[in-house]
Amino acid sequence: AQSVAQPEDQVNVAEGNPLTVKCTYSVSGNPYLFWYVQYPNRGLQFLLKYITGDNLVKGSYGFEAEFNKSQTSFHLKKPSALVSDSALYFCAVRDIDHNAGNNRKLIWGLGTSLAVNP
Amino acid sequence: GAVVSQHPSRVICKSGTSVKIECRSLDFQATTMFWYRQFPKQSLMLMATSNEGSKATYEQGVEKDKFLINHASLTLSTLTVTSAHPEDSSFYICSARREPNQPQHFGDGTRLSIL
């Protein structure tokens, strides 16, 4: 079965320090991976995706993620955290059900709450 | 680009009322739209997937007669919570997607509170 794990419920980091939000996945075949961010009482915003190509993917707001096939990971990173990065971060992998057609959905992690302290 | 508008942002109503939530893709045609429910400090729970002009596909455990979904055009999907009760109080979020390989783009959610 396909799944996504975000092993940390919460990550705390000081402003200016690098941050990492972890994500591992389990899927047969080539994964399509996504990161989204959710600010309080808002919908989710797309940050970046990996489908194919370079393992290091750059996204919005200075975030990047590294696809590691051997470790089945897709950790989100940022070299220097901002207080405004404090939010809930979700990792997702696309369902590979080939019969789903347009209904292919995302399998979501449980989210990681990131707190950046001034 | 890829803006999704969800309306209303907040609803407070009495038990037994039916509530309609609209989800519009403003600058692209959404082949597929998704409806999610999110409880406090919890992940997203997919309720249903809808494609324009066809019946929605509901996830296991979601009552299709309770949560009516209509996807009448490539830019509009609606979720109607029929005869809402306090246990239906939640944060409902829609998303829209052009094609299966493209990201989903989300509305800002609707906070539904049933008294």
Side-chain angles (χ1 to χ4, degrees), chain A residues 41-44, chain B residues 4-6 9 91-94 106-110:
Chain A
N41 296 311
R42 300 290 299 275
L44 279 68
Chain B
V4 174
S5 173
Q6 186 172 340
S9 58
F91 192 53
Y92 293 86
I93 313 175
C94 74
F106 286 79
D108 274 342
T110 297

Side-chain angles (χ1 to χ4, degrees), chain B residues 78-89:
Chain B
T78 60
L79 166 68
T80 301
V81 183
T82 61
S83 187
H85 292 286
E87 59 266 28
D88 299 322
S89 298

Side-chain angles (χ1 to χ4, degrees), chain A residues 63-80:
Chain A
F63 284 93
E64 58 188 28
E66 186 168 12
F67 171 63
N68 188 317
K69 189 172 184 177
S70 63
Q71 296 184 5
T72 62
S73 67
F74 189 55
H75 300 332
L76 181 71
K77 299 181 180 184
K78 186 172 182 179
S80 179

Side-chain angles (χ1 to χ4, degrees), chain A residues 32 34 36 38 41-44 46 49 51 88 90 94 101-106 108-111, chain B residues 31-32 34 36 38 43-44 46 49 51 57 59 91 93 97 100-104 106-108 111:
Chain A
Y32 287 20
F34 301 82
Y36 285 83
Q38 184 181 29
N41 296 311
R42 300 290 299 275
L44 279 68
F46 168 71
K49 68 177 178 180
I51 294 180
L88 193 56
F90 290 99
R94 196 192 71 173
N102 284 341
N103 285 3
R104 287 195 189 185
K105 58 191 179 186
L106 293 179
W108 294 90
L110 294 180
Chain B
T31 307
T32 309
F34 301 85
Y36 293 89
Q38 185 178 34
S43 186
L44 300 169
L46 179 65
T49 303
N51 291 290
T57 302
E59 295 298 303
F91 192 53
I93 313 175
R97 185 182 68 190
N101 289 348
Q102 295 298 313
Q104 294 180 26
F106 286 79
D108 274 342
R111 175 75 58 192

